[in-house]
Amino acid sequence: MTLQPDNEIAALFDPNFDEPEPAIVAPGALPPSWAAAMAANRAAATPAPVQELAWPQAPGSSIAAPAPVASASAAPDAEPEPTGKGKRRGKKRGRRGDPEAEFTRQVAAAKKRADRERKAVRLALVGVEGNVTRTRRQSTAWFVQPPGPWNMRPVGKQRRYIQNEGLVVANLAESGVIGLHRRLVRTPWPVRQWAQAHDGWADPIPDVPGALSWADYLRGQQHAMLWGNPTQKGRYWGVELPRRSVLAQGLDTLGQWLLPVIDVPLLGRIARLVRTWARDAFLGEQKAIADHLATIERHLSGQGVNAKPATAAQMDYLMLRSATLGLPLDADGVICGGGDWEESDVAALEDLTTLELTPGEGYTTVRGQVGGRDYTGYAIVLTLGRMAPLPIPEKMLPWQVLGDPSGEPLEWSERISLKTKGQTLRSLRRLTSKIEAQFDHYTVEHDQVPPQELAEQHALAQRVISDIEEDHSGLSVRTEGWYRVLVVGSSPEEAKEKVSLLQEMYAPRIRLEPEHGQYQLLREFIPGEPLANIAHCRRMNVEALSAGMAAVGDRIGDRTGVVVGQTASIAPRPAVWDLFAAHEKKHKSGLTPIVAVPGSGKTFLAGMLVYQAVRAGAYGVVLDPSGPLKKLAQLPEFRGIAEVQALTGRTSRPGSLNPYRVIVDPRRGDPEYDPTSPDYTDDADPVAAAQSQYEADLRAAEAERISVAVSVLKMMLTPSRLEHQWTETVLQTAANMVGGDRRHNLSEVLAAIATIGDSKDETNVDLISCARSIHQDLATMSQLSEARVLFPEEGTIGDGEDGDRTVRLTVLTMPGLQLPPEGTDPAQWTPQQRMAGPLMHMAAWMANRLVYELPRYERKVLFLDENKYLEQTGAGRTLNLRIARDSRKYKVRALVCSQLPDDYLGVDGTDDKSALTYEVIIGDLGGNAHAIEGALKLLNLPLGEGYESLLAGLGGGGEDTLDEDTDTEHLDQARRFIVKMADDIELIRSDWTHYVHLAHVFDALDSRATRAAIGGAP
């Protein structure tokens, strides 16, 4: 196997990435690795076999991995050796001739001495048994805490998170635990596992020759995810167990002495026997403290930590990651889960990396191999220094996640000494006595005024004593600890720049101190290693300690579904959404409101969700009145399985929106009418009960057609006509005369109205006059070109047959539709503008029919744009409520766009659908205070806790201005959304910069009114 040369630490997750990511990547630009691959394909007629970029579905792919590019390692320049034939001559020249030579000699001597001292140091760890690591003197039990939520939680709940974790630490102290070693490690976000799970979750559409294949689609998705260097946290709690017995310590020491002769015939047998005795002694100690271990496990598994004993694989990752700090993360290559570690296994940890020290430089050079390639990293360990009072959670993130927004995979090591209530009181009283003695020394012995600091320290100590004595919650338990955070760069300069950035992020309330002895500080991260130094000891109670909340992060979505964007609250990682988990796993509604002002990117986001869902095998129906999404149906990969239906204009089909045809009858063969269904087990005659239910639903469909026909005709009338007292009676009577069978149409209702107006038997003159006026108005409206889809040609009943199941994507467009301007009195609307309401209403019913006529078990995505015009009518609100309630039964993910949250909150006496919204997407609300208040209700967040400012700042990044010198909007064009999935609410950046394999999809979704966007010359 040919090994690659040293590479930068920036190649953290992509083994084929040979160049650092540029500072700013233009949208749509090919990443360097792909550009190299394309260049290699053009240069070579027959490309050589190379390692795959990421997991594909099939071995063959049109996107080749880039050829490896050699790069020189960024090692510090070696110091030149002094010249000279003899030692004396060299020293003489160093003294008299060249002053720099003496300094060079001293540096070289210091380096040799440091190397010699390093070789003399051996790991204190002796072995690992289960989740317990042991040294000759101490054993530590390790538990793993899962990542927890934090963002967009009320302050009261965040404070409970802190207090619950603090109580766990207090309970450990009361149970006799005197020390903790907590480690926060990073693992790569499982991009390959996502691709495998996504491939199993999806039923992908067939590949089309010349279009993006499913395998290349998965490959491109992974490559784009890897660009963001996403990681996830793993927090280990190492609980120090009671000190080991003298016998066990002696056996472990003797076993280590005899380790070099273990292969000698006679002495080796003795050595193996001693090691067996040492292990038996350790196991005996564990049995003796079994109750103590059970108590520890009970405390850590409780609310606040929810930690479980580390598995064999988790222990492997902890050991191997701790021994390779400074090198790229590698989850797949190091976790074997083999179980217990013997002393020879522990000794192998020292060979994983080569550490080099440069005295005075303040960093440790780490060299090693990951995935068969050589890497060099430069590690700097920072220690938590002085801390001011921290307003957590009211105004700050937890102090251990303040650096996470930098995107660096920071790792923490915490050495904590727990003090019980009694120990703390004794220590404080001794301190108080010392202060009083110093006070007497000034006042009694020397008759001087003591410094003010003595009085302040005495008052502080007394206050702490009072708090501890009066506290019964356990949160006053005190701790002493040393907290280290690791920063890694691909060069010394980069590492120091990252340190400066991190210090700025923590300033001014917290200082991060770069200390001397970087090698020993780096070794401190390894379980079992001693404390490097005692400088910067931080003393705090368990509540302040737990305010670090190192395990919290961005938690939203799953690791199976489609990509929404990336999290943007604490640390960036892919936000992935299983569109049908609410239906298949949680039995919740599939209604998803997307609320934002025009131009905020909601249509683009919904289009990307529809594209990914249809690629994965779902049926998609899009109602896009403005029409730009019709280009989705023209994508090469949807060739033959997508269609565009124009509901207005010259290409529209007459009668295609006939209410009597759009609303379908229930199917007798549906599972809900099966007599063997559990719904009919309690009926005496299941067959008759099922038939009765079918007939009832059939009558309900007929009644719904009558109601929708009346609603459509009412929307065509002017407000003055609607205010007439007999208008409702005329329309309802005419519709009832026609009936609710599917063979009718609106022209028959107009004829029935005319019959009422010409009736000779009717004595109500007002009713007859109203019917004649209504017929005259509706007859005029029916002659408009926009109305041809509602009124079929004479002798026909209009289009509306069951759809073709081979069509996976249907886009309904309404070109030329004149929507009424906002804020205009309906009395001022033109006839064409009045037609917009009924057309939008029936188009939504058409989209609804295309979805609900499919089998219930099929996955479906429905996208309704411009929902505000539906909510203006009672029938439209009823339609939305039906979508919200029935989407779970029919496995429909309904993406409904609107500009105001009021459309879902039931204001003005309408139906409140907020309880049915299991997922919500909120975009830029334009700073409108009323809209922001409604969005918080929709997200189920309290008012007055600071969320208002977050919602007011949504949208794109940078400052948007027409001044070319100050416009910074281009620096971050990704739109930001608040996304709610179940109880998780996060800030998401809809960033698609590196998804270059979907460039053709972005072009199709570009709705900008520019010449280039509409196909003209650039």
Side-chain angles (χ1 to χ4, degrees), residues 481-502:
W482 293 263
Y483 308 92
R484 327 284 192 190
V485 59
L486 176 67
V487 179
V488 180
S490 58
S491 66
E493 293 74 18
E494 181 181 323
K496 293 176 182 179
E497 289 176 0
K498 292 181 178 180
V499 166
S500 299
L501 173 63
L502 198 62

mmCIF file with all atom_site columns, all heavy atoms in Angstrom, residues 481-502:
data_model
loop_
_atom_site.group_PDB
_atom_site.id
_atom_site.type_symbol
_atom_site.label_atom_id
_atom_site.label_alt_id
_atom_site.label_comp_id
_atom_site.label_asym_id
_atom_site.label_entity_id
_atom_site.label_seq_id
_atom_site.pdbx_PDB_ins_code
_atom_site.Cartn_x
_atom_site.Cartn_y
_atom_site.Cartn_z
_atom_site.occupancy
_atom_site.B_iso_or_equiv
_atom_site.pdbx_formal_charge
_atom_site.auth_seq_id
_atom_site.auth_comp_id
_atom_site.auth_asym_id
_atom_site.auth_atom_id
_atom_site.pdbx_PDB_model_num
ATOM 1   N N   . GLY A 1 481 ? -11.357 22.311 40.318 1.00 0.00 ? 481 GLY A N   1
ATOM 2   C CA  . GLY A 1 481 ? -11.143 21.655 39.044 1.00 0.00 ? 481 GLY A CA  1
ATOM 3   C C   . GLY A 1 481 ? -10.185 22.392 38.137 1.00 0.00 ? 481 GLY A C   1
ATOM 4   O O   . GLY A 1 481 ? -9.877  23.575 38.321 1.00 0.00 ? 481 GLY A O   1
ATOM 5   N N   . TRP A 1 482 ? -9.689  21.637 37.160 1.00 0.00 ? 482 TRP A N   1
ATOM 6   C CA  . TRP A 1 482 ? -8.817  22.164 36.112 1.00 0.00 ? 482 TRP A CA  1
ATOM 7   C C   . TRP A 1 482 ? -9.460  21.790 34.780 1.00 0.00 ? 482 TRP A C   1
ATOM 8   O O   . TRP A 1 482 ? -9.765  20.611 34.530 1.00 0.00 ? 482 TRP A O   1
ATOM 9   C CB  . TRP A 1 482 ? -7.421  21.564 36.224 1.00 0.00 ? 482 TRP A CB  1
ATOM 10  C CG  . TRP A 1 482 ? -6.697  21.994 37.456 1.00 0.00 ? 482 TRP A CG  1
ATOM 11  C CD1 . TRP A 1 482 ? -5.785  22.990 37.580 1.00 0.00 ? 482 TRP A CD1 1
ATOM 12  C CD2 . TRP A 1 482 ? -6.831  21.422 38.772 1.00 0.00 ? 482 TRP A CD2 1
ATOM 13  N NE1 . TRP A 1 482 ? -5.345  23.097 38.869 1.00 0.00 ? 482 TRP A NE1 1
ATOM 14  C CE2 . TRP A 1 482 ? -5.960  22.145 39.628 1.00 0.00 ? 482 TRP A CE2 1
ATOM 15  C CE3 . TRP A 1 482 ? -7.595  20.375 39.319 1.00 0.00 ? 482 TRP A CE3 1
ATOM 16  C CZ2 . TRP A 1 482 ? -5.849  21.848 40.977 1.00 0.00 ? 482 TRP A CZ2 1
ATOM 17  C CZ3 . TRP A 1 482 ? -7.495  20.092 40.660 1.00 0.00 ? 482 TRP A CZ3 1
ATOM 18  C CH2 . TRP A 1 482 ? -6.618  20.821 41.493 1.00 0.00 ? 482 TRP A CH2 1
ATOM 19  N N   . TYR A 1 483 ? -9.647  22.766 33.924 1.00 0.00 ? 483 TYR A N   1
ATOM 20  C CA  . TYR A 1 483 ? -10.423 22.584 32.707 1.00 0.00 ? 483 TYR A CA  1
ATOM 21  C C   . TYR A 1 483 ? -9.552  22.963 31.513 1.00 0.00 ? 483 TYR A C   1
ATOM 22  O O   . TYR A 1 483 ? -9.131  24.113 31.386 1.00 0.00 ? 483 TYR A O   1
ATOM 23  C CB  . TYR A 1 483 ? -11.695 23.442 32.765 1.00 0.00 ? 483 TYR A CB  1
ATOM 24  C CG  . TYR A 1 483 ? -12.485 23.203 34.033 1.00 0.00 ? 483 TYR A CG  1
ATOM 25  C CD1 . TYR A 1 483 ? -12.266 23.992 35.163 1.00 0.00 ? 483 TYR A CD1 1
ATOM 26  C CD2 . TYR A 1 483 ? -13.411 22.176 34.117 1.00 0.00 ? 483 TYR A CD2 1
ATOM 27  C CE1 . TYR A 1 483 ? -12.963 23.754 36.333 1.00 0.00 ? 483 TYR A CE1 1
ATOM 28  C CE2 . TYR A 1 483 ? -14.118 21.933 35.278 1.00 0.00 ? 483 TYR A CE2 1
ATOM 29  C CZ  . TYR A 1 483 ? -13.884 22.726 36.396 1.00 0.00 ? 483 TYR A CZ  1
ATOM 30  O OH  . TYR A 1 483 ? -14.574 22.479 37.555 1.00 0.00 ? 483 TYR A OH  1
ATOM 31  N N   . ARG A 1 484 ? -9.281  21.975 30.665 1.00 0.00 ? 484 ARG A N   1
ATOM 32  C CA  . ARG A 1 484 ? -8.410  22.175 29.502 1.00 0.00 ? 484 ARG A CA  1
ATOM 33  C C   . ARG A 1 484 ? -9.240  22.020 28.217 1.00 0.00 ? 484 ARG A C   1
ATOM 34  O O   . ARG A 1 484 ? -10.117 21.157 28.134 1.00 0.00 ? 484 ARG A O   1
ATOM 35  C CB  . ARG A 1 484 ? -7.282  21.147 29.469 1.00 0.00 ? 484 ARG A CB  1
ATOM 36  C CG  . ARG A 1 484 ? -6.752  20.696 30.815 1.00 0.00 ? 484 ARG A CG  1
ATOM 37  C CD  . ARG A 1 484 ? -5.866  21.727 31.474 1.00 0.00 ? 484 ARG A CD  1
ATOM 38  N NE  . ARG A 1 484 ? -5.151  21.142 32.621 1.00 0.00 ? 484 ARG A NE  1
ATOM 39  C CZ  . ARG A 1 484 ? -4.462  21.834 33.498 1.00 0.00 ? 484 ARG A CZ  1
ATOM 40  N NH1 . ARG A 1 484 ? -4.357  23.144 33.381 1.00 0.00 ? 484 ARG A NH1 1
ATOM 41  N NH2 . ARG A 1 484 ? -3.859  21.241 34.516 1.00 0.00 ? 484 ARG A NH2 1
ATOM 42  N N   . VAL A 1 485 ? -8.917  22.825 27.222 1.00 0.00 ? 485 VAL A N   1
ATOM 43  C CA  . VAL A 1 485 ? -9.548  22.726 25.912 1.00 0.00 ? 485 VAL A CA  1
ATOM 44  C C   . VAL A 1 485 ? -8.442  22.654 24.863 1.00 0.00 ? 485 VAL A C   1
ATOM 45  O O   . VAL A 1 485 ? -7.436  23.374 24.954 1.00 0.00 ? 485 VAL A O   1
ATOM 46  C CB  . VAL A 1 485 ? -10.501 23.913 25.652 1.00 0.00 ? 485 VAL A CB  1
ATOM 47  C CG1 . VAL A 1 485 ? -9.763  25.246 25.724 1.00 0.00 ? 485 VAL A CG1 1
ATOM 48  C CG2 . VAL A 1 485 ? -11.200 23.770 24.307 1.00 0.00 ? 485 VAL A CG2 1
ATOM 49  N N   . LEU A 1 486 ? -8.608  21.792 23.903 1.00 0.00 ? 486 LEU A N   1
ATOM 50  C CA  . LEU A 1 486 ? -7.582  21.517 22.892 1.00 0.00 ? 486 LEU A CA  1
ATOM 51  C C   . LEU A 1 486 ? -7.917  22.226 21.589 1.00 0.00 ? 486 LEU A C   1
ATOM 52  O O   . LEU A 1 486 ? -9.044  22.149 21.084 1.00 0.00 ? 486 LEU A O   1
ATOM 53  C CB  . LEU A 1 486 ? -7.470  20.013 22.641 1.00 0.00 ? 486 LEU A CB  1
ATOM 54  C CG  . LEU A 1 486 ? -6.502  19.581 21.541 1.00 0.00 ? 486 LEU A CG  1
ATOM 55  C CD1 . LEU A 1 486 ? -5.067  19.878 21.948 1.00 0.00 ? 486 LEU A CD1 1
ATOM 56  C CD2 . LEU A 1 486 ? -6.670  18.103 21.218 1.00 0.00 ? 486 LEU A CD2 1
ATOM 57  N N   . VAL A 1 487 ? -6.909  22.904 21.024 1.00 0.00 ? 487 VAL A N   1
ATOM 58  C CA  . VAL A 1 487 ? -7.023  23.568 19.728 1.00 0.00 ? 487 VAL A CA  1
ATOM 59  C C   . VAL A 1 487 ? -5.968  22.975 18.813 1.00 0.00 ? 487 VAL A C   1
ATOM 60  O O   . VAL A 1 487 ? -4.803  22.829 19.212 1.00 0.00 ? 487 VAL A O   1
ATOM 61  C CB  . VAL A 1 487 ? -6.826  25.094 19.845 1.00 0.00 ? 487 VAL A CB  1
ATOM 62  C CG1 . VAL A 1 487 ? -6.924  25.760 18.491 1.00 0.00 ? 487 VAL A CG1 1
ATOM 63  C CG2 . VAL A 1 487 ? -7.848  25.681 20.807 1.00 0.00 ? 487 VAL A CG2 1
ATOM 64  N N   . VAL A 1 488 ? -6.335  22.635 17.577 1.00 0.00 ? 488 VAL A N   1
ATOM 65  C CA  . VAL A 1 488 ? -5.425  21.990 16.635 1.00 0.00 ? 488 VAL A CA  1
ATOM 66  C C   . VAL A 1 488 ? -5.412  22.771 15.332 1.00 0.00 ? 488 VAL A C   1
ATOM 67  O O   . VAL A 1 488 ? -6.458  23.206 14.840 1.00 0.00 ? 488 VAL A O   1
ATOM 68  C CB  . VAL A 1 488 ? -5.842  20.521 16.367 1.00 0.00 ? 488 VAL A CB  1
ATOM 69  C CG1 . VAL A 1 488 ? -4.877  19.871 15.382 1.00 0.00 ? 488 VAL A CG1 1
ATOM 70  C CG2 . VAL A 1 488 ? -5.876  19.737 17.668 1.00 0.00 ? 488 VAL A CG2 1
ATOM 71  N N   . GLY A 1 489 ? -4.228  22.961 14.782 1.00 0.00 ? 489 GLY A N   1
ATOM 72  C CA  . GLY A 1 489 ? -4.082  23.616 13.486 1.00 0.00 ? 489 GLY A CA  1
ATOM 73  C C   . GLY A 1 489 ? -3.194  22.803 12.564 1.00 0.00 ? 489 GLY A C   1
ATOM 74  O O   . GLY A 1 489 ? -2.452  21.917 13.007 1.00 0.00 ? 489 GLY A O   1
ATOM 75  N N   . SER A 1 490 ? -3.253  23.122 11.293 1.00 0.00 ? 490 SER A N   1
ATOM 76  C CA  . SER A 1 490 ? -2.415  22.432 10.313 1.00 0.00 ? 490 SER A CA  1
ATOM 77  C C   . SER A 1 490 ? -1.012  23.029 10.233 1.00 0.00 ? 490 SER A C   1
ATOM 78  O O   . SER A 1 490 ? -0.158  22.499 9.536  1.00 0.00 ? 490 SER A O   1
ATOM 79  C CB  . SER A 1 490 ? -3.071  22.464 8.927  1.00 0.00 ? 490 SER A CB  1
ATOM 80  O OG  . SER A 1 490 ? -3.285  23.805 8.522  1.00 0.00 ? 490 SER A OG  1
ATOM 81  N N   . SER A 1 491 ? -0.800  24.145 10.921 1.00 0.00 ? 491 SER A N   1
ATOM 82  C CA  . SER A 1 491 ? 0.513   24.762 11.016 1.00 0.00 ? 491 SER A CA  1
ATOM 83  C C   . SER A 1 491 ? 0.569   25.509 12.352 1.00 0.00 ? 491 SER A C   1
ATOM 84  O O   . SER A 1 491 ? -0.475  25.804 12.956 1.00 0.00 ? 491 SER A O   1
ATOM 85  C CB  . SER A 1 491 ? 0.752   25.734 9.857  1.00 0.00 ? 491 SER A CB  1
ATOM 86  O OG  . SER A 1 491 ? -0.133  26.838 9.942  1.00 0.00 ? 491 SER A OG  1
ATOM 87  N N   . PRO A 1 492 ? 1.768   25.811 12.841 1.00 0.00 ? 492 PRO A N   1
ATOM 88  C CA  . PRO A 1 492 ? 1.830   26.565 14.106 1.00 0.00 ? 492 PRO A CA  1
ATOM 89  C C   . PRO A 1 492 ? 1.094   27.897 14.033 1.00 0.00 ? 492 PRO A C   1
ATOM 90  O O   . PRO A 1 492 ? 0.417   28.293 14.989 1.00 0.00 ? 492 PRO A O   1
ATOM 91  C CB  . PRO A 1 492 ? 3.338   26.751 14.312 1.00 0.00 ? 492 PRO A CB  1
ATOM 92  C CG  . PRO A 1 492 ? 3.975   25.629 13.565 1.00 0.00 ? 492 PRO A CG  1
ATOM 93  C CD  . PRO A 1 492 ? 3.110   25.395 12.374 1.00 0.00 ? 492 PRO A CD  1
ATOM 94  N N   . GLU A 1 493 ? 1.208   28.581 12.892 1.00 0.00 ? 493 GLU A N   1
ATOM 95  C CA  . GLU A 1 493 ? 0.542   29.873 12.770 1.00 0.00 ? 493 GLU A CA  1
ATOM 96  C C   . GLU A 1 493 ? -0.983  29.714 12.814 1.00 0.00 ? 493 GLU A C   1
ATOM 97  O O   . GLU A 1 493 ? -1.688  30.499 13.462 1.00 0.00 ? 493 GLU A O   1
ATOM 98  C CB  . GLU A 1 493 ? 0.956   30.559 11.465 1.00 0.00 ? 493 GLU A CB  1
ATOM 99  C CG  . GLU A 1 493 ? 2.418   30.981 11.408 1.00 0.00 ? 493 GLU A CG  1
ATOM 100 C CD  . GLU A 1 493 ? 3.363   29.798 11.207 1.00 0.00 ? 493 GLU A CD  1
ATOM 101 O OE1 . GLU A 1 493 ? 2.872   28.715 10.777 1.00 0.00 ? 493 GLU A OE1 1
ATOM 102 O OE2 . GLU A 1 493 ? 4.565   29.941 11.489 1.00 0.00 ? 493 GLU A OE2 1
ATOM 103 N N   . GLU A 1 494 ? -1.484  28.696 12.125 1.00 0.00 ? 494 GLU A N   1
ATOM 104 C CA  . GLU A 1 494 ? -2.928  28.486 12.135 1.00 0.00 ? 494 GLU A CA  1
ATOM 105 C C   . GLU A 1 494 ? -3.427  28.127 13.527 1.00 0.00 ? 494 GLU A C   1
ATOM 106 O O   . GLU A 1 494 ? -4.481  28.608 13.973 1.00 0.00 ? 494 GLU A O   1
ATOM 107 C CB  . GLU A 1 494 ? -3.312  27.381 11.148 1.00 0.00 ? 494 GLU A CB  1
ATOM 108 C CG  . GLU A 1 494 ? -4.814  27.131 11.091 1.00 0.00 ? 494 GLU A CG  1
ATOM 109 C CD  . GLU A 1 494 ? -5.177  26.026 10.126 1.00 0.00 ? 494 GLU A CD  1
ATOM 110 O OE1 . GLU A 1 494 ? -4.518  25.946 9.060  1.00 0.00 ? 494 GLU A OE1 1
ATOM 111 O OE2 . GLU A 1 494 ? -6.102  25.260 10.426 1.00 0.00 ? 494 GLU A OE2 1
ATOM 112 N N   . ALA A 1 495 ? -2.678  27.291 14.236 1.00 0.00 ? 495 ALA A N   1
ATOM 113 C CA  . ALA A 1 495 ? -3.078  26.929 15.595 1.00 0.00 ? 495 ALA A CA  1
ATOM 114 C C   . ALA A 1 495 ? -3.131  28.159 16.493 1.00 0.00 ? 495 ALA A C   1
ATOM 115 O O   . ALA A 1 495 ? -4.067  28.330 17.289 1.00 0.00 ? 495 ALA A O   1
ATOM 116 C CB  . ALA A 1 495 ? -2.117  25.883 16.154 1.00 0.00 ? 495 ALA A CB  1
ATOM 117 N N   . LYS A 1 496 ? -2.140  29.032 16.367 1.00 0.00 ? 496 LYS A N   1
ATOM 118 C CA  . LYS A 1 496 ? -2.126  30.236 17.209 1.00 0.00 ? 496 LYS A CA  1
ATOM 119 C C   . LYS A 1 496 ? -3.239  31.203 16.826 1.00 0.00 ? 496 LYS A C   1
ATOM 120 O O   . LYS A 1 496 ? -3.805  31.883 17.685 1.00 0.00 ? 496 LYS A O   1
ATOM 121 C CB  . LYS A 1 496 ? -0.764  30.909 17.096 1.00 0.00 ? 496 LYS A CB  1
ATOM 122 C CG  . LYS A 1 496 ? 0.373   30.074 17.704 1.00 0.00 ? 496 LYS A CG  1
ATOM 123 C CD  . LYS A 1 496 ? 1.728   30.718 17.494 1.00 0.00 ? 496 LYS A CD  1
ATOM 124 C CE  . LYS A 1 496 ? 2.847   29.845 18.073 1.00 0.00 ? 496 LYS A CE  1
ATOM 125 N NZ  . LYS A 1 496 ? 4.198   30.430 17.858 1.00 0.00 ? 496 LYS A NZ  1
ATOM 126 N N   . GLU A 1 497 ? -3.572  31.262 15.530 1.00 0.00 ? 497 GLU A N   1
ATOM 127 C CA  . GLU A 1 497 ? -4.694  32.099 15.123 1.00 0.00 ? 497 GLU A CA  1
ATOM 128 C C   . GLU A 1 497 ? -6.009  31.580 15.700 1.00 0.00 ? 497 GLU A C   1
ATOM 129 O O   . GLU A 1 497 ? -6.865  32.350 16.139 1.00 0.00 ? 497 GLU A O   1
ATOM 130 C CB  . GLU A 1 497 ? -4.776  32.148 13.595 1.00 0.00 ? 497 GLU A CB  1
ATOM 131 C CG  . GLU A 1 497 ? -3.651  32.948 12.944 1.00 0.00 ? 497 GLU A CG  1
ATOM 132 C CD  . GLU A 1 497 ? -3.717  32.880 11.425 1.00 0.00 ? 497 GLU A CD  1
ATOM 133 O OE1 . GLU A 1 497 ? -4.650  32.209 10.915 1.00 0.00 ? 497 GLU A OE1 1
ATOM 134 O OE2 . GLU A 1 497 ? -2.859  33.493 10.762 1.00 0.00 ? 497 GLU A OE2 1
ATOM 135 N N   . LYS A 1 498 ? -6.158  30.269 15.719 1.00 0.00 ? 498 LYS A N   1
ATOM 136 C CA  . LYS A 1 498 ? -7.370  29.695 16.304 1.00 0.00 ? 498 LYS A CA  1
ATOM 137 C C   . LYS A 1 498 ? -7.430  29.959 17.806 1.00 0.00 ? 498 LYS A C   1
ATOM 138 O O   . LYS A 1 498 ? -8.511  30.188 18.358 1.00 0.00 ? 498 LYS A O   1
ATOM 139 C CB  . LYS A 1 498 ? -7.420  28.192 16.027 1.00 0.00 ? 498 LYS A CB  1
ATOM 140 C CG  . LYS A 1 498 ? -7.636  27.839 14.561 1.00 0.00 ? 498 LYS A CG  1
ATOM 141 C CD  . LYS A 1 498 ? -7.694  26.336 14.362 1.00 0.00 ? 498 LYS A CD  1
ATOM 142 C CE  . LYS A 1 498 ? -7.953  25.991 12.904 1.00 0.00 ? 498 LYS A CE  1
ATOM 143 N NZ  . LYS A 1 498 ? -8.017  24.522 12.675 1.00 0.00 ? 498 LYS A NZ  1
ATOM 144 N N   . VAL A 1 499 ? -6.287  29.921 18.461 1.00 0.00 ? 499 VAL A N   1
ATOM 145 C CA  . VAL A 1 499 ? -6.249  30.229 19.884 1.00 0.00 ? 499 VAL A CA  1
ATOM 146 C C   . VAL A 1 499 ? -6.703  31.667 20.116 1.00 0.00 ? 499 VAL A C   1
ATOM 147 O O   . VAL A 1 499 ? -7.504  31.955 21.021 1.00 0.00 ? 499 VAL A O   1
ATOM 148 C CB  . VAL A 1 499 ? -4.834  29.993 20.449 1.00 0.00 ? 499 VAL A CB  1
ATOM 149 C CG1 . VAL A 1 499 ? -4.683  30.636 21.826 1.00 0.00 ? 499 VAL A CG1 1
ATOM 150 C CG2 . VAL A 1 499 ? -4.544  28.504 20.528 1.00 0.00 ? 499 VAL A CG2 1
ATOM 151 N N   . SER A 1 500 ? -6.210  32.601 19.310 1.00 0.00 ? 500 SER A N   1
ATOM 152 C CA  . SER A 1 500 ? -6.605  34.002 19.447 1.00 0.00 ? 500 SER A CA  1
ATOM 153 C C   . SER A 1 500 ? -8.113  34.169 19.231 1.00 0.00 ? 500 SER A C   1
ATOM 154 O O   . SER A 1 500 ? -8.779  34.911 19.960 1.00 0.00 ? 500 SER A O   1
ATOM 155 C CB  . SER A 1 500 ? -5.832  34.870 18.455 1.00 0.00 ? 500 SER A CB  1
ATOM 156 O OG  . SER A 1 500 ? -4.444  34.803 18.702 1.00 0.00 ? 500 SER A OG  1
ATOM 157 N N   . LEU A 1 501 ? -8.627  33.490 18.218 1.00 0.00 ? 501 LEU A N   1
ATOM 158 C CA  . LEU A 1 501 ? -10.065 33.569 17.954 1.00 0.00 ? 501 LEU A CA  1
ATOM 159 C C   . LEU A 1 501 ? -10.861 33.036 19.138 1.00 0.00 ? 501 LEU A C   1
ATOM 160 O O   . LEU A 1 501 ? -11.858 33.642 19.571 1.00 0.00 ? 501 LEU A O   1
ATOM 161 C CB  . LEU A 1 501 ? -10.402 32.781 16.686 1.00 0.00 ? 501 LEU A CB  1
ATOM 162 C CG  . LEU A 1 501 ? -11.892 32.629 16.360 1.00 0.00 ? 501 LEU A CG  1
ATOM 163 C CD1 . LEU A 1 501 ? -12.523 33.996 16.098 1.00 0.00 ? 501 LEU A CD1 1
ATOM 164 C CD2 . LEU A 1 501 ? -12.086 31.718 15.148 1.00 0.00 ? 501 LEU A CD2 1
ATOM 165 N N   . LEU A 1 502 ? -10.418 31.910 19.691 1.00 0.00 ? 502 LEU A N   1
ATOM 166 C CA  . LEU A 1 502 ? -11.127 31.317 20.817 1.00 0.00 ? 502 LEU A CA  1
ATOM 167 C C   . LEU A 1 502 ? -11.061 32.219 22.046 1.00 0.00 ? 502 LEU A C   1
ATOM 168 O O   . LEU A 1 502 ? -12.052 32.380 22.775 1.00 0.00 ? 502 LEU A O   1
ATOM 169 C CB  . LEU A 1 502 ? -10.541 29.935 21.122 1.00 0.00 ? 502 LEU A CB  1
ATOM 170 C CG  . LEU A 1 502 ? -11.395 28.988 21.969 1.00 0.00 ? 502 LEU A CG  1
ATOM 171 C CD1 . LEU A 1 502 ? -12.694 28.693 21.246 1.00 0.00 ? 502 LEU A CD1 1
ATOM 172 C CD2 . LEU A 1 502 ? -10.650 27.695 22.248 1.00 0.00 ? 502 LEU A CD2 1
#
